[in-house]
Coordinates of all heavy atoms in Angstrom, one line a residue:
M22 N -34.5 5.6 -10.2 CA -33.4 6.6 -10.6 C -34.1 7.7 -11.4 O -35.0 7.5 -12.1 CB -32.4 5.8 -11.4 CG -31.1 6.6 -11.6 SD -29.8 5.9 -12.6 CE -29.5 4.4 -11.7
H23 N -33.5 8.9 -11.2 CA -34.1 10.0 -11.9 C -32.9 11.0 -12.3 O -31.8 10.9 -11.7 CB -35.1 10.7 -11.1 CG -34.6 11.5 -9.9 ND1 -34.3 10.9 -8.8 CD2 -34.3 12.8 -9.8 CE1 -33.8 11.8 -7.9 NE2 -33.8 13.0 -8.5
A24 N -33.2 11.9 -13.1 CA -32.2 13.0 -13.4 C -32.8 14.3 -13.2 O -33.9 14.6 -13.6 CB -31.8 12.9 -14.9
R25 N -32.2 15.1 -12.4 CA -32.6 16.5 -12.1 C -31.4 17.4 -12.4 O -30.4 17.3 -11.9 CB -33.0 16.6 -10.7 CG -33.5 18.0 -10.3 CD -34.0 18.2 -8.9 NE -32.8 18.2 -8.1 CZ -32.7 17.8 -6.8 NH1 -33.8 17.3 -6.2 NH2 -31.6 17.9 -6.1
F26 N -31.6 18.3 -13.4 CA -30.5 19.2 -13.8 C -30.5 20.5 -13.0 O -31.4 21.3 -13.1 CB -30.7 19.5 -15.3 CG -30.5 18.2 -16.1 CD1 -31.6 17.5 -16.5 CD2 -29.2 17.8 -16.5 CE1 -31.4 16.3 -17.2 CE2 -29.0 16.7 -17.3 CZ -30.1 15.9 -17.6
D27 N -29.5 20.6 -12.2 CA -29.3 21.8 -11.3 C -27.9 22.2 -11.4 O -27.0 21.3 -11.6 CB -29.6 21.5 -9.8 CG -31.1 21.3 -9.6 OD1 -31.9 21.9 -10.2 OD2 -31.4 20.4 -8.7
P28 N -27.6 23.5 -11.3 CA -26.2 23.9 -11.2 C -25.5 23.3 -10.0 O -26.2 23.1 -8.9 CB -26.2 25.4 -11.2 CG -27.7 25.8 -10.9 CD -28.5 24.6 -11.1
L29 N -24.2 23.0 -10.1 CA -23.5 22.5 -8.9 C -23.5 23.6 -7.8 O -23.3 24.7 -8.1 CB -22.1 22.2 -9.3 CG -21.9 20.9 -10.2 CD1 -20.4 20.8 -10.6 CD2 -22.2 19.7 -9.3
P30 N -23.6 23.1 -6.6 CA -23.4 24.1 -5.5 C -22.0 24.5 -5.4 O -21.1 23.8 -5.8 CB -23.9 23.3 -4.3 CG -23.8 21.9 -4.6 CD -23.9 21.8 -6.1
D31 N -21.8 25.7 -4.8 CA -20.4 26.2 -4.6 C -19.7 25.3 -3.6 O -20.2 25.0 -2.5 CB -20.5 27.6 -4.0 CG -19.1 28.2 -3.8 OD1 -18.2 27.7 -4.3 OD2 -19.1 29.2 -3.0
D32 N -18.6 24.7 -4.0 CA -17.9 23.8 -3.2 C -16.5 24.4 -2.7 O -15.6 23.7 -2.3 CB -17.6 22.4 -3.8 CG -16.7 22.5 -5.0 OD1 -16.4 23.6 -5.5 OD2 -16.2 21.5 -5.4
E33 N -16.4 25.7 -2.8 CA -15.2 26.3 -2.4 C -14.9 26.1 -0.9 O -15.8 26.3 -0.1 CB -15.2 27.8 -2.7 CG -13.8 28.5 -2.4 CD -13.7 29.9 -2.8 OE1 -14.6 30.7 -2.5 OE2 -12.7 30.2 -3.5
T34 N -13.7 25.6 -0.6 CA -13.3 25.3 0.7 C -12.5 26.4 1.3 O -12.1 27.4 0.6 CB -12.5 24.0 0.7 OG1 -11.3 24.3 -0.1 CG2 -13.2 22.8 0.1
E35 N -12.2 26.3 2.6 CA -11.3 27.2 3.2 C -10.0 27.3 2.5 O -9.4 28.3 2.3 CB -11.1 26.9 4.7 CG -10.3 27.9 5.4 CD -10.2 27.6 6.9 OE1 -10.8 26.7 7.4 OE2 -9.4 28.3 7.5
A36 N -9.5 26.1 2.1 CA -8.2 26.0 1.4 C -8.3 26.7 0.0 O -7.4 27.4 -0.4 CB -7.8 24.5 1.1
G37 N -9.4 26.6 -0.6 CA -9.6 27.3 -1.9 C -9.6 28.8 -1.7 O -9.0 29.5 -2.5
R38 N -10.3 29.3 -0.7 CA -10.3 30.7 -0.4 C -8.9 31.2 -0.1 O -8.5 32.3 -0.5 CB -11.3 31.1 0.7 CG -12.7 30.9 0.3 CD -13.7 31.4 1.3 NE -13.7 30.6 2.5 CZ -14.3 29.4 2.7 NH1 -15.1 28.9 1.8 NH2 -14.2 28.8 3.9
T39 N -8.2 30.4 0.7 CA -6.8 30.8 1.0 C -5.9 30.9 -0.2 O -5.2 31.8 -0.4 CB -6.2 29.8 2.1 OG1 -7.1 29.9 3.3 CG2 -4.8 30.2 2.5
A40 N -6.0 29.8 -1.0 CA -5.1 29.8 -2.2 C -5.5 31.0 -3.2 O -4.6 31.6 -3.7 CB -5.3 28.5 -3.0
R41 N -6.8 31.3 -3.3 CA -7.2 32.4 -4.1 C -6.6 33.7 -3.6 O -6.1 34.6 -4.3 CB -8.7 32.5 -4.2 CG -9.1 33.6 -5.2 CD -10.6 33.6 -5.5 NE -11.5 32.9 -4.6 CZ -12.1 33.4 -3.6 NH1 -12.0 34.7 -3.3 NH2 -12.9 32.7 -2.9
A42 N -6.6 33.9 -2.3 CA -6.1 35.1 -1.7 C -4.6 35.2 -1.9 O -4.1 36.3 -2.2 CB -6.4 35.2 -0.2
L43 N -3.9 34.1 -1.8 CA -2.4 34.1 -2.1 C -2.1 34.4 -3.6 O -1.2 35.2 -3.9 CB -1.8 32.8 -1.7 CG -1.9 32.5 -0.2 CD1 -1.4 31.0 0.0 CD2 -1.0 33.5 0.6
R44 N -3.0 33.9 -4.5 CA -2.8 34.2 -5.9 C -3.0 35.7 -6.2 O -2.4 36.2 -7.2 CB -3.7 33.3 -6.7 CG -3.3 31.9 -6.9 CD -4.2 31.2 -7.9 NE -3.8 29.8 -8.0 CZ -4.4 28.8 -7.3 NH1 -5.4 29.0 -6.5 NH2 -4.0 27.6 -7.5
E45 N -3.8 36.3 -5.4 CA -4.1 37.7 -5.7 C -2.9 38.6 -5.3 O -2.8 39.8 -5.7 CB -5.3 38.2 -4.9 CG -6.6 37.6 -5.6 CD -7.8 37.8 -4.7 OE1 -7.8 38.4 -3.6 OE2 -8.9 37.4 -5.2
R46 N -1.9 38.1 -4.5 CA -0.8 38.8 -4.0 C 0.5 38.0 -4.2 O 1.1 37.6 -3.2 CB -0.9 39.3 -2.6 CG -2.0 40.3 -2.5 CD -2.2 40.9 -1.1 NE -0.9 41.5 -0.7 CZ -0.8 42.1 0.5 NH1 -1.8 42.3 1.3 NH2 0.4 42.6 0.9
P47 N 0.8 37.7 -5.5 CA 2.0 36.8 -5.7 C 3.2 37.3 -5.0 O 3.5 38.5 -5.1 CB 2.1 36.7 -7.2 CG 1.2 37.8 -7.8 CD 0.3 38.2 -6.7
G48 N 4.0 36.4 -4.4 CA 5.3 36.7 -3.8 C 5.2 37.2 -2.4 O 6.2 37.2 -1.7
D49 N 4.0 37.5 -1.9 CA 3.8 38.0 -0.5 C 3.6 36.9 0.4 O 2.6 36.1 0.2 CB 2.7 39.0 -0.4 CG 3.0 40.3 -1.1 OD1 4.2 40.6 -1.4 OD2 2.0 41.1 -1.3
W50 N 4.3 36.8 1.5 CA 4.1 35.7 2.5 C 2.9 36.1 3.3 O 2.7 37.3 3.7 CB 5.3 35.6 3.4 CG 6.5 34.9 2.8 CD1 7.6 35.5 2.2 CD2 6.6 33.5 2.6 NE1 8.4 34.5 1.7 CE2 7.9 33.3 2.0 CE3 5.9 32.4 2.9 CZ2 8.4 32.0 1.6 CZ3 6.4 31.1 2.6 CH2 7.6 31.0 2.0
A51 N 2.1 35.1 3.7 CA 0.9 35.3 4.5 C 0.8 34.2 5.6 O 1.1 33.0 5.2 CB -0.4 35.3 3.7
H52 N 0.5 34.6 6.8 CA 0.3 33.6 7.8 C -1.1 33.0 7.5 O -2.1 33.7 7.3 CB 0.2 34.3 9.2 CG -0.2 33.4 10.3 ND1 -1.5 33.4 10.7 CD2 0.5 32.5 11.1 CE1 -1.6 32.5 11.7 NE2 -0.4 32.0 11.9
I53 N -1.1 31.6 7.4 CA -2.4 31.0 7.0 C -3.0 30.1 8.0 O -4.2 29.8 7.9 CB -2.3 30.3 5.6 CG1 -1.3 29.1 5.7 CG2 -1.9 31.3 4.5 CD1 -1.3 28.2 4.5
S54 N -2.2 29.6 9.0 CA -2.9 28.7 10.0 C -2.0 28.6 11.2 O -0.7 28.7 11.1 CB -3.2 27.4 9.4 OG -2.1 26.7 9.1
D55 N -2.6 28.3 12.3 CA -2.0 27.9 13.6 C -2.3 26.5 13.9 O -3.5 26.0 13.6 CB -2.4 28.8 14.7 CG -1.9 30.3 14.5 OD1 -0.7 30.4 14.4 OD2 -2.8 31.2 14.5
H56 N -1.4 25.8 14.6 CA -1.7 24.4 15.0 C -1.2 24.1 16.4 O -0.2 24.7 16.8 CB -1.0 23.4 14.0 CG -1.5 23.6 12.6 ND1 -2.5 22.9 12.1 CD2 -1.1 24.4 11.6 CE1 -2.8 23.2 10.9 NE2 -1.9 24.2 10.5
D57 N -1.9 23.3 17.1 CA -1.5 22.9 18.4 C -0.1 22.2 18.5 O 0.6 22.2 19.4 CB -2.5 22.0 19.1 CG -3.8 22.8 19.4 OD1 -3.8 24.0 19.5 OD2 -4.9 22.1 19.4
L58 N 0.2 21.4 17.4 CA 1.4 20.7 17.3 C 2.2 21.2 16.1 O 1.7 21.3 15.0 CB 1.1 19.2 17.1 CG 0.4 18.5 18.2 CD1 0.0 17.1 17.9 CD2 1.2 18.6 19.5
K59 N 3.5 21.4 16.4 CA 4.4 21.9 15.3 C 4.5 20.9 14.1 O 4.7 21.3 13.0 CB 5.8 22.3 15.8 CG 6.5 21.2 16.5 CD 7.7 21.7 17.2 CE 8.3 20.6 18.1 NZ 9.3 21.1 19.0
T60 N 4.3 19.6 14.5 CA 4.4 18.6 13.4 C 3.2 18.7 12.5 O 3.3 18.4 11.3 CB 4.4 17.2 14.0 OG1 3.3 17.0 14.9 CG2 5.7 16.9 14.7
Q61 N 2.0 19.1 13.0 CA 0.8 19.4 12.1 C 1.1 20.5 11.2 O 0.8 20.5 10.0 CB -0.4 19.7 13.0 CG -0.9 18.5 13.8 CD -2.0 18.9 14.8 OE1 -2.0 20.1 15.3 NE2 -2.9 18.0 15.0
A62 N 1.8 21.6 11.7 CA 2.1 22.7 10.8 C 3.1 22.3 9.8 O 2.9 22.7 8.6 CB 2.7 23.9 11.7
A63 N 4.1 21.6 10.1 CA 5.1 21.1 9.1 C 4.5 20.3 8.1 O 4.8 20.4 6.9 CB 6.2 20.4 9.8
N64 N 3.5 19.4 8.5 CA 2.8 18.5 7.5 C 2.0 19.3 6.5 O 2.0 19.1 5.3 CB 2.0 17.5 8.3 CG 1.3 16.6 7.3 OD1 0.2 16.8 6.9 ND2 1.9 15.5 7.0
L65 N 1.3 20.3 7.0 CA 0.5 21.2 6.1 C 1.4 21.9 5.2 O 1.1 22.0 4.0 CB -0.4 22.2 6.9 CG -1.2 23.1 6.1 CD1 -2.2 22.4 5.1 CD2 -2.0 24.1 6.9
A66 N 2.5 22.5 5.6 CA 3.4 23.2 4.7 C 3.9 22.2 3.6 O 3.9 22.6 2.5 CB 4.6 23.8 5.5
Y67 N 4.2 21.0 4.0 CA 4.7 20.0 3.0 C 3.6 19.8 2.0 O 3.9 19.7 0.8 CB 5.1 18.7 3.7 CG 5.3 17.6 2.8 CD1 6.5 17.5 2.1 CD2 4.3 16.6 2.6 CE1 6.7 16.4 1.3 CE2 4.5 15.6 1.8 CZ 5.7 15.5 1.1 OH 5.9 14.4 0.2
R68 N 2.4 19.5 2.5 CA 1.3 19.2 1.6 C 1.0 20.4 0.6 O 0.6 20.1 -0.6 CB 0.0 18.8 2.4 CG 0.3 17.5 3.0 CD -0.9 17.0 4.0 NE -2.2 17.5 3.7 CZ -3.0 18.0 4.6 NH1 -2.6 18.1 5.8 NH2 -4.2 18.4 4.2
I69 N 1.1 21.6 1.1 CA 0.9 22.7 0.2 C 2.0 22.8 -0.9 O 1.7 22.9 -2.1 CB 0.9 24.1 1.0 CG1 -0.4 24.1 1.8 CG2 1.1 25.3 0.0 CD1 -0.4 25.3 2.8
R70 N 3.3 22.6 -0.5 CA 4.4 22.7 -1.5 C 4.3 21.6 -2.5 O 4.6 21.8 -3.7 CB 5.7 22.5 -0.7 CG 6.2 23.7 0.1 CD 7.6 23.6 0.6 NE 7.9 22.3 1.3 CZ 7.8 22.1 2.6 NH1 7.3 23.1 3.3 NH2 8.1 21.0 3.1
Q71 N 3.8 20.4 -2.1 CA 3.8 19.3 -3.0 C 2.5 19.2 -3.8 O 2.3 18.3 -4.7 CB 3.9 18.0 -2.2 CG 5.2 17.8 -1.5 CD 6.4 17.8 -2.4 OE1 6.3 17.1 -3.5 NE2 7.4 18.6 -2.1
G72 N 1.6 20.2 -3.6 CA 0.3 20.2 -4.3 C -0.6 19.0 -3.9 O -1.5 18.6 -4.7
K73 N -0.4 18.5 -2.7 CA -1.3 17.4 -2.2 C -2.7 17.9 -1.9 O -3.6 17.1 -1.9 CB -0.7 16.8 -1.0 CG 0.7 16.3 -1.2 CD 0.7 14.9 -1.7 CE 2.1 14.3 -1.8 NZ 2.2 13.2 -2.6
I74 N -2.9 19.2 -1.8 CA -4.2 19.8 -1.5 C -4.6 20.5 -2.9 O -3.8 21.3 -3.4 CB -4.1 20.9 -0.4 CG1 -3.7 20.2 0.9 CG2 -5.5 21.5 -0.2 CD1 -3.3 21.2 2.0
R75 N -5.7 20.1 -3.4 CA -6.1 20.5 -4.7 C -6.0 22.0 -5.0 O -5.6 22.4 -6.0 CB -7.6 20.0 -5.0 CG -8.0 20.4 -6.4 CD -9.5 20.0 -6.7 NE -9.9 18.9 -5.8 CZ -11.2 18.5 -5.8 NH1 -12.1 19.1 -6.5 NH2 -11.6 17.5 -5.0
A76 N -6.4 22.8 -4.0 CA -6.4 24.2 -4.1 C -5.0 24.8 -4.4 O -4.9 25.9 -4.9 CB -7.0 24.9 -2.9
F77 N -4.0 24.0 -4.0 CA -2.6 24.5 -4.1 C -1.8 23.9 -5.2 O -0.6 23.8 -5.2 CB -1.9 24.3 -2.7 CG -2.5 25.2 -1.6 CD1 -3.4 24.6 -0.8 CD2 -2.1 26.5 -1.5 CE1 -4.0 25.4 0.2 CE2 -2.7 27.3 -0.5 CZ -3.6 26.7 0.4
R78 N -2.5 23.4 -6.2 CA -1.9 22.8 -7.4 C -1.7 23.8 -8.5 O -2.4 24.8 -8.5 CB -2.8 21.6 -7.9 CG -2.8 20.5 -7.0 CD -3.6 19.3 -7.5 NE -3.7 18.3 -6.5 CZ -4.7 17.4 -6.5 NH1 -5.6 17.4 -7.4 NH2 -4.7 16.5 -5.5
P79 N -0.7 23.6 -9.4 CA 0.2 22.4 -9.4 C 1.3 22.5 -8.4 O 1.5 23.6 -7.8 CB 0.8 22.6 -10.8 CG 0.8 24.0 -11.1 CD -0.5 24.6 -10.4
A80 N 1.9 21.4 -8.1 CA 3.0 21.3 -7.2 C 4.0 22.3 -7.6 O 4.3 22.5 -8.7 CB 3.6 19.9 -7.1
G81 N 4.5 23.0 -6.6 CA 5.6 24.1 -6.9 C 5.0 25.4 -7.1 O 5.8 26.4 -7.1
A82 N 3.7 25.6 -7.2 CA 3.1 26.9 -7.5 C 3.1 27.7 -6.2 O 3.0 29.0 -6.2 CB 1.7 26.8 -8.0
F83 N 3.2 27.1 -5.0 CA 3.1 27.8 -3.8 C 4.4 27.3 -3.0 O 4.8 26.2 -3.0 CB 1.9 27.4 -3.0 CG 0.6 27.9 -3.6 CD1 0.0 27.2 -4.6 CD2 0.0 29.1 -3.1 CE1 -1.2 27.7 -5.1 CE2 -1.1 29.6 -3.7 CZ -1.8 28.9 -4.7
E84 N 4.9 28.3 -2.2 CA 5.9 28.0 -1.2 C 5.2 28.0 0.1 O 4.3 28.8 0.3 CB 7.1 29.0 -1.3 CG 7.9 28.9 -2.5 CD 9.0 29.9 -2.5 OE1 9.0 30.9 -1.7 OE2 9.9 29.8 -3.4
A85 N 5.6 27.2 1.0 CA 5.1 27.1 2.4 C 6.1 26.7 3.4 O 7.0 25.9 3.0 CB 3.9 26.2 2.4
T86 N 6.0 27.3 4.5 CA 7.0 26.9 5.6 C 6.2 27.0 6.9 O 5.2 27.6 7.1 CB 8.2 27.9 5.6 OG1 9.2 27.4 6.5 CG2 7.8 29.3 6.0
S87 N 6.8 26.3 7.9 CA 6.2 26.3 9.2 C 7.3 26.8 10.2 O 8.5 26.7 10.0 CB 5.7 24.9 9.6 OG 6.8 24.0 9.7
R88 N 6.8 27.3 11.3 CA 7.6 27.8 12.4 C 7.1 27.4 13.7 O 5.8 27.4 13.9 CB 7.8 29.4 12.3 CG 8.4 29.9 11.1 CD 9.9 29.6 11.1 NE 10.6 30.3 10.1 CZ 10.9 29.8 8.9 NH1 10.5 28.6 8.5 NH2 11.6 30.5 8.0
K89 N 7.9 27.1 14.6 CA 7.5 26.8 16.0 C 7.0 28.1 16.6 O 7.7 29.1 16.5 CB 8.7 26.2 16.8 CG 8.4 25.8 18.2 CD 9.7 25.2 18.8 CE 9.4 24.9 20.3 NZ 10.6 24.4 20.9
T90 N 5.9 28.1 17.3 CA 5.3 29.3 17.9 C 5.2 29.1 19.4 O 4.8 30.1 20.1 CB 4.0 29.6 17.3 OG1 3.1 28.5 17.4 CG2 4.1 30.0 15.8
G91 N 5.4 28.0 19.9 CA 5.3 27.7 21.4 C 6.0 26.5 21.7 O 6.8 25.9 20.9
E92 N 5.9 26.0 22.9 CA 6.5 24.7 23.3 C 6.3 23.6 22.4 O 7.2 22.9 21.9 CB 6.0 24.4 24.7 CG 6.6 23.1 25.3 CD 7.9 23.3 26.1 OE1 8.1 24.5 26.5 OE2 8.6 22.4 26.3
T93 N 5.0 23.4 22.0 CA 4.6 22.3 21.0 C 3.9 22.8 19.8 O 3.7 22.1 18.9 CB 3.8 21.3 21.7 OG1 2.6 21.9 22.2 CG2 4.5 20.7 22.9
S94 N 3.5 24.1 19.8 CA 2.7 24.6 18.7 C 3.5 25.2 17.5 O 4.7 25.4 17.6 CB 1.7 25.7 19.2 OG 2.5 26.8 19.8
G95 N 2.8 25.3 16.4 CA 3.4 25.8 15.2 C 2.4 26.6 14.3 O 1.2 26.5 14.5
A96 N 3.0 27.3 13.3 CA 2.1 28.0 12.4 C 2.7 27.9 11.0 O 3.8 27.5 10.8 CB 2.1 29.5 12.8
V97 N 1.8 28.2 10.0 CA 2.2 28.0 8.6 C 2.1 29.3 7.9 O 1.1 30.1 8.1 CB 1.3 27.0 7.9 CG1 1.7 26.8 6.4 CG2 1.4 25.6 8.6
W98 N 3.1 29.6 7.1 CA 3.1 30.8 6.2 C 3.2 30.2 4.8 O 3.9 29.2 4.5 CB 4.3 31.7 6.5 CG 4.1 32.6 7.7 CD1 3.7 33.9 7.7 CD2 4.3 32.2 9.0 NE1 3.6 34.3 9.0 CE2 4.0 33.4 9.8 CE3 4.7 31.1 9.7 CZ2 4.1 33.3 11.2 CZ3 4.8 31.0 11.1 CH2 4.5 32.2 11.8
A99 N 2.6 30.9 3.8 CA 2.7 30.5 2.4 C 2.6 31.6 1.5 O 2.2 32.8 1.9 CB 1.5 29.5 2.1
R100 N 3.1 31.4 0.3 CA 3.0 32.4 -0.8 C 2.9 31.8 -2.1 O 3.3 30.6 -2.3 CB 4.2 33.4 -0.8 CG 5.5 32.8 -1.2 CD 6.6 33.8 -1.1 NE 7.9 33.2 -1.4 CZ 9.0 34.0 -1.6 NH1 8.9 35.3 -1.5 NH2 10.1 33.4 -1.8
Y101 N 2.2 32.5 -3.0 CA 2.1 32.0 -4.4 C 3.3 32.5 -5.2 O 3.6 33.7 -5.2 CB 0.8 32.5 -5.0 CG 0.6 32.1 -6.5 CD1 0.3 30.8 -6.8 CD2 0.7 33.1 -7.5 CE1 0.2 30.5 -8.1 CE2 0.5 32.7 -8.8 CZ 0.2 31.4 -9.1 OH 0.0 31.1 -10.4
V102 N 3.9 31.6 -5.9 CA 5.1 32.0 -6.7 C 4.9 31.7 -8.2 O 5.7 32.0 -9.0 CB 6.4 31.2 -6.3 CG1 6.8 31.7 -4.9 CG2 6.2 29.7 -6.3
G103 N 3.7 31.2 -8.6 CA 3.4 30.9 -10.0 C 3.7 29.4 -10.3 O 4.5 28.7 -9.6
A104 N 3.0 29.0 -11.3 CA 3.2 27.6 -11.8 C 4.6 27.4 -12.2 O 5.2 28.2 -12.9 CB 2.2 27.3 -12.9
P105 N 5.3 26.3 -11.9 CA 6.6 26.0 -12.4 C 6.7 25.9 -13.9 O 5.7 25.4 -14.5 CB 7.0 24.7 -11.7 CG 5.8 24.2 -11.0 CD 4.7 25.2 -11.0
E106 N 7.8 26.3 -14.4 CA 8.0 26.1 -15.9 C 8.1 24.7 -16.3 O 8.7 23.9 -15.6 CB 9.2 26.9 -16.3 CG 9.2 28.4 -16.1 CD 8.2 29.1 -16.9 OE1 8.0 28.7 -18.1 OE2 7.5 30.0 -16.4
A107 N 7.5 24.3 -17.4 CA 7.6 23.0 -17.9 C 9.1 22.8 -18.4 O 9.7 23.7 -19.0 CB 6.6 22.7 -19.0
A108 N 9.6 21.6 -18.2 CA 10.9 21.3 -18.7 C 11.0 21.2 -20.2 O 10.0 20.8 -20.8 CB 11.4 19.9 -18.1
G109 N 12.0 21.8 -20.7 CA 12.1 21.8 -22.2 C 12.5 20.4 -22.7 O 12.8 19.5 -22.0
P110 N 12.6 20.3 -24.1 CA 12.9 19.1 -24.7 C 14.3 18.6 -24.5 O 15.2 19.2 -24.1 CB 12.7 19.3 -26.2 CG 12.6 20.8 -26.4 CD 12.3 21.4 -25.0

């Protein structure tokens, strides 16, 4: 075993770049992905809204929706709305 001190490599993902772009234009809807199956698009929109994807946390900071774009295909649009307010006492 050994220790080598190096800076962490950049681990920014496509999701991280997308979330950053949405944060730079709060409130603006953006088309973010296309899917062969509309169920895949709906699932991604759900995961974004719920904060299941780290880049889109906290839950509620992003709105996302999917739309059918063909017989079986779908697409996802999302926007940054800001972190939800904490509940008061």
Side-chain angles (χ1 to χ4, degrees):
M22 194 180 300
H23 72 279
R25 182 179 73 209
F26 294 92
D27 288 327
L29 286 172
D31 180 15
D32 69 345
E33 186 171 49
T34 62
E35 183 177 352
R38 290 186 294 276
T39 300
R41 184 170 19 95
L43 294 173
R44 281 186 182 97
E45 290 172 359
R46 293 186 56 176
D49 289 344
W50 285 100
H52 172 265
I53 62 167
S54 67
D55 291 304
H56 298 270
D57 293 334
L58 299 173
K59 58 189 172 193
T60 55
Q61 292 171 328
N64 182 269
L65 176 60
Y67 169 80
R68 290 176 26 229
I69 290 170
R70 290 191 307 270
Q71 297 300 313
K73 303 276 185 195
I74 301 169
R75 183 184 334 174
F77 295 96
R78 289 180 186 160
F83 291 85
E84 291 180 345
T86 190
S87 63
R88 296 288 190 267
K89 182 177 175 181
T90 57
E92 180 93 17
T93 60
S94 59
V97 178
W98 282 261
R100 69 179 175 172
Y101 177 69
V102 294
E106 296 293 320

